[in-house]
Amino acid sequence: MDLFEKIAKRPGPLGQHADRSHGYYMFPKLEGPIGPHMKFMGKERLVWSLNNYLGLANHPEVLKADAEGAAKFGMAYPMGARMMSGNSDYHEELESELAKFIGKEDVILMNYGYQGMVSAIDCLVDRHDVIVYDAESHACIVDGVRLHQGKRFVYTHNNMESLEKQLERATRMVGETGGAILVITEGVFGMSGVQGNLKGIVELKKKFNFRLFVDDAHGIGTMGKTGAGTGEEQGVMDQIDIYFGTFAKSFAGIGGFIGSSKNIVDFLRYNTRSQIFAKSLPMPMVIGALKRLELIRTHPELKDNLWRIVHALQNGLKEAGFNIGITSSPVTPVILSGSIPEATALTHDLRENYGIFCSIVVYPVIPKGMIILRIIPTAVHTLEDVTQTIQAFKEVKEKLTAGKYNVDEIVKMM
Ligand SMILES: Cc1ncc(COP(=O)(O)O)c(C=O)c1O
């Protein structure tokens, strides 16, 4: 069989919907300056689907730093991987400032968050070691674990009894192989908004010998007193042995970083394949990230504004009878029941008749019959945006319950 013919018959779980959804539900184009009000298909919409948590994407000082960095260095500089020819004082300054911010001895920059995580996992363990990881881990953790040549054990999401069981198995296993154990979880789970039970995990360090790696993509900048992340929030930052943050969310940039002790970061510098064999972050990104970090550290009101909107939105939704799960972070899932066609009709109605643009999650990402509207509040939303959204959600929920988004009903109305 020809490979291309085979692929044409098997577009993949998301690709199978491309005919109907490309450009609208998938690969939509949001236009205009990044913020809560952007254009979609020519009309202004109230946008709740960008991880621009602190509103930095369109901050005047950020735009200025990005533009100055690009004017001075262009996008090409520096050429090559960090190890060969792509290092600079700015890269090292950013690493040292980030290390101070998260309270770790040292930091290494990653030129993409996802690749950085995958490659760091691959780099940290060998075939004698065992990885124990949360069942609802992000794709970058799952893919990093896939590269691992030794044993891996998954524990039930955030369930400490299950983790303990897997740690017992892992401990027996490394007793035979002479390896070590790495536990991996997330600070904030990006779909549900639930925090990883970092406190519970570090408690198990009293009983088991393992190192903890936390992907805090959604926690950096949003969680903890200073915004240093979910470890700070739960008072266990010093017990997180390896900490990952991305620039793609609160920092409104691209790239990421990993913080740890000096010797582990040095080990990562000389062994992480995605960094050794790939070009380093362009200078404007690095200069821009330094500015973003400075703003996060010196303007706590950015995070305060975010949480003002988070509280108004989450309390308002709960008071209106919505199920928002057990989020304890800005990520706000609105959980409804319905079929995939109902979910798409509801989303269409929200976008076209209420001007509200949010992301929608359906089967196979979540169980059949469940619909999640995923709302990401930011520091630049207003309380009016919140009120408008809750009212719209009440109306579409009523229509959903009354069967108005049922395909037969829609056909009757046409
Ligand atoms: C939990 C988590 N880890 C890692 C990533 C990847 O980060 P980046 O977008 O910087 O590649 C994401 C982004 O979606 C994420 O949500």
Side-chain angles (χ1 to χ4, degrees):
M1 183 188 262
D2 177 69
L3 179 65
F4 285 8
E5 277 173 29
K6 193 176 137 199
I7 288 171
K9 287 191 195 130
R10 198 195 52 181
L14 296 174
Q16 65 178 322
H17 303 296
D19 284 355
R20 277 160 286 132
S21 56
H22 193 87
Y24 195 86
Y25 299 105
M26 294 196 239
F27 295 87
K29 291 175 196 155
L30 286 168
E31 290 164 322
I34 297 172
H37 299 274
M38 296 180 73
K39 280 202 168 156
F40 173 61
M41 304 199 108
K43 280 199 251 165
E44 194 185 295
R45 323 278 171 148
L46 172 49
V47 176
W48 292 101
S49 46
L50 308 180
N51 292 305
N52 179 28
Y53 288 118
L54 300 174
L56 288 178
N58 207 26
H59 191 289
E61 287 190 48
V62 163
L63 295 178
K64 188 164 171 272
D66 289 352
E68 283 174 3
K72 192 164 173 200
F73 293 101
M75 289 302 284
Y77 197 92
M79 289 297 288
R82 291 284 296 282
M83 188 185 269
M84 306 304 281
S85 52
N87 199 15
S88 83
D89 285 343
Y90 283 107
H91 287 71
E92 289 182 358
E93 184 188 343
L94 179 57
E95 289 176 334
S96 125
E97 291 303 318
L98 283 164
K100 280 187 224 154
F101 180 53
I102 61 165
K104 294 285 170 212
E105 275 177 22
D106 204 356
V107 152
I108 172 177
L109 295 178
M110 298 284 150
N111 43 23
Y112 285 100
Y114 173 94
Q115 279 169 227
M117 272 302 292
V118 169
S119 197
I121 295 170
D122 173 49
C123 166
L124 287 163
V125 285
D126 68 25
R127 66 192 171 85
H128 304 293
D129 301 324
V130 176
I131 295 180
V132 182
Y133 67 107
D134 189 286
E136 287 188 14
S137 292
H138 187 266
C140 64
I141 299 176
V142 174
D143 292 354
V145 171
R146 277 181 179 173
L147 286 179
H148 176 45
Q149 288 174 356
K151 288 274 179 209
R152 80 280 317 257
F153 299 134
V154 65
Y155 64 93
T156 310
H157 173 54
N158 247 354
N159 181 319
M160 294 302 103
E161 270 172 41
S162 171
L163 172 58
E164 191 163 349
K165 274 206 191 97
Q166 300 308 335
L167 281 169
E168 278 163 11
R169 288 175 77 192
T171 304
R172 279 198 299 276
M173 183 69 60
V174 295
E176 286 164 25
T177 62
I181 302 171
L182 180 65
V183 173
I184 314 177
T185 188
E186 289 181 43
V188 170
F189 287 84
M191 283 291 156
S192 63
V194 169
Q195 286 178 48
N197 185 356
L198 307 183
K199 252 186 165 166
I201 298 173
V202 304
E203 202 43 41
L204 288 170
K205 283 189 170 185
K206 291 183 185 149
K207 229 168 138 184
F208 300 94
N209 184 6
F210 64 86
R211 294 292 180 169
L212 174 60
F213 190 176
V214 174
D215 172 346
D216 206 20
H218 291 270
I220 186 79
T222 67
M223 306 297 291
K225 192 160 174 288
T226 68
T230 317
E232 183 185 39
E233 175 80 23
Q234 296 186 23
V236 293
M237 196 60 178
D238 57 339
Q239 294 287 316
I240 297 175
D241 301 290
I242 309 152
Y243 179 91
F244 164 86
T246 176
F247 296 141
K249 302 184 194 292
S250 281
F251 278 72
I254 196 157
F257 66 92
I258 290 180
S260 186
S261 59
K262 174 98 186 69
N263 60 339
I264 292 303
V265 172
D266 275 341
F267 175 78
L268 289 168
R269 264 190 196 110
Y270 280 85
N271 295 282
T272 308
R273 294 167 67 83
S274 71
Q275 305 308 303
I276 297 170
F277 298 106
K279 191 173 187 285
S280 81
L281 274 177
M283 205 68 108
M285 304 289 181
V286 176
I287 290 171
L290 274 163
K291 174 52 79 182
R292 288 155 170 82
L293 179 58
E294 179 200 314
L295 290 171
I296 291 171
R297 287 163 101 181
T298 54
H299 290 271
E301 73 276 9
L302 295 170
K303 189 164 66 70
D304 295 345
N305 285 347
L306 163 67
W307 279 96
R308 196 168 55 94
I309 299 299
V310 171
H311 288 137
L313 179 76
Q314 294 186 350
N315 292 338
L317 284 166
K318 277 194 244 168
E319 277 158 23
F322 283 97
N323 174 5
I324 61 165
I326 52 164
T327 177
S328 53
S329 74
V331 177
T332 308
V334 175
I335 304 162
L336 301 167
S337 304
S339 62
I340 295 181
E342 283 178 314
T344 50
L346 181 152
T347 308
H348 190 269
D349 194 18
L350 261 182
R351 284 188 191 173
E352 298 310 319
N353 302 317
Y354 297 91
I356 290 178
F357 187 104
C358 66
S359 303
I360 169 181
V361 191
V362 291
Y363 177 82
V365 180
I366 50 175
K368 254 192 186 136
M370 199 191 233
I371 305 170
I372 294 185
L373 299 171
R374 182 167 166 269
I375 314 183
I376 304 291
T378 72
V380 280
H381 280 97
T382 62
L383 294 175
E384 290 76 63
D385 294 336
V386 170
T387 311
Q388 182 190 333
T389 301
I390 294 173
Q391 183 55 34
F393 274 36
K394 276 191 207 164
E395 291 180 27
V396 295
K397 188 181 171 192
E398 266 167 35
K399 291 189 204 172
L400 177 71
T401 315
K404 292 273 179 1
Y405 298 126
N406 189 301
V407 179
D408 299 337
E409 281 292 318
I410 293 171
V411 170
K412 262 192 253 160
M413 283 179 339
M414 279 158 71

